[in-house]
Amino acid sequence: MNLSIAHLGPLAAPYCFYLPNPPQLPEKYNHRLMTSNHAVKKDAVTHSEMINAEMINAESTSGAVKRDAVKSYEIKSGELNIDEIIALNGNHWRKILVIMAKICSPNDNWRSYLPRLLTQNELIRFNATQLHPGATHHFVCGQRSAQNLGLTPLTTPQSFEHQTEGNRHIYRLPYLDYRQCPNSLIDELKKQI
């Protein structure tokens, strides 16, 4: 059983990617906030984990957190294993994560950056309807993500559009797939970040 995931990565990340669907997570993340009766006592999770799990109206009268109320979980630095996510979700998520690493890597060595992805500087939000207030660079990936955010989807294949709103940079991108988001597009995008 997988939690309903609203985001992956630290909420304070300056780069936020918007995607329509989350990956499956390994069971060890699901059990973090659940017990065998699908509830966790308030003192069993830290205050930070409660906030990061976005527990909205989650408390029952007994002071337990309902399993269905868990919307997201911030995986802390060093906990996330990209290889596990790729093994569980296949080539589709490998492509997404590799393209993210190519975009976010501070140099051309994205392969060494990939294991650190989503631990400090990147956040992925799923089915978001608002831009994340803590991020400065927003990467809206694909038509559905653009529509969810009230933005006009791209009409030209293998392109991106950049707009600035105050201190926020919004990049409308194609879905993160090698055919739609080739290396030449990533190189042009990196010049503007």
Side-chain angles (χ1 to χ4, degrees), residues 1-107:
M1 184 179 303
N2 220 342
L3 299 176
S4 176
I5 304 168
H7 80 267
L8 275 179
L11 293 172
Y15 292 171
C16 186
F17 288 79
Y18 300 85
L19 291 168
N21 299 309
Q24 287 187 308
L25 292 179
E27 282 297 315
K28 67 182 175 183
Y29 300 120
N30 294 341
H31 292 296
R32 193 87 186 255
L33 296 176
M34 295 189 313
T35 63
S36 59
N37 66 357
H38 302 299
V40 184
K41 295 294 179 194
K42 282 169 69 172
D43 59 356
V45 291
T46 67
H47 178 68
S48 174
E49 288 172 323
M50 292 280 286
I51 291 170
N52 292 335
E54 295 178 6
M55 307 286 184
I56 301 169
N57 299 322
E59 292 186 24
S60 69
T61 56
S62 67
V65 176
K66 299 175 189 173
R67 179 192 57 81
D68 294 339
V70 176
K71 299 292 183 199
S72 62
Y73 176 69
E74 181 173 352
I75 298 172
K76 294 176 181 40
S77 181
E79 288 183 1
L80 181 65
N81 185 323
I82 295 291
D83 291 333
E84 287 179 331
I85 290 179
I86 291 169
L88 189 59
N89 293 278
N91 197 41
H92 174 73
W93 269 93
R94 183 184 63 78
K95 291 176 187 178
I96 290 170
L97 296 169
V98 165
I99 291 171
M100 286 179 63
K102 287 179 178 183
I103 292 170
C104 297
S105 175
N107 53 45

Side-chain angles (χ1 to χ4, degrees), residues 115-127:
R116 296 186 311 231
L117 194 68
L118 297 172
T119 60
Q120 294 179 340
N121 295 320
E122 306 84 20
L123 169 70
I124 305 175
R125 293 193 66 203
F126 304 101
N127 283 315

Side-chain angles (χ1 to χ4, degrees), residues 125-177:
R125 293 193 66 203
F126 304 101
N127 283 315
T129 57
Q130 295 179 10
L131 293 175
H132 183 62
T136 55
H137 291 76
H138 303 269
F139 301 92
V140 181
C141 307
Q143 290 185 348
R144 195 162 119 206
S145 294
Q147 290 168 338
N148 286 347
L149 291 164
L151 301 171
T152 304
L154 290 174
T155 55
T156 306
Q158 295 185 356
S159 69
F160 71 91
E161 291 186 17
H162 174 232
Q163 68 188 65
T164 304
E165 292 180 3
N167 68 343
R168 299 189 305 187
H169 296 273
I170 303 166
Y171 305 91
R172 286 182 290 141
L173 305 171
Y175 192 75
L176 299 184
D177 180 87

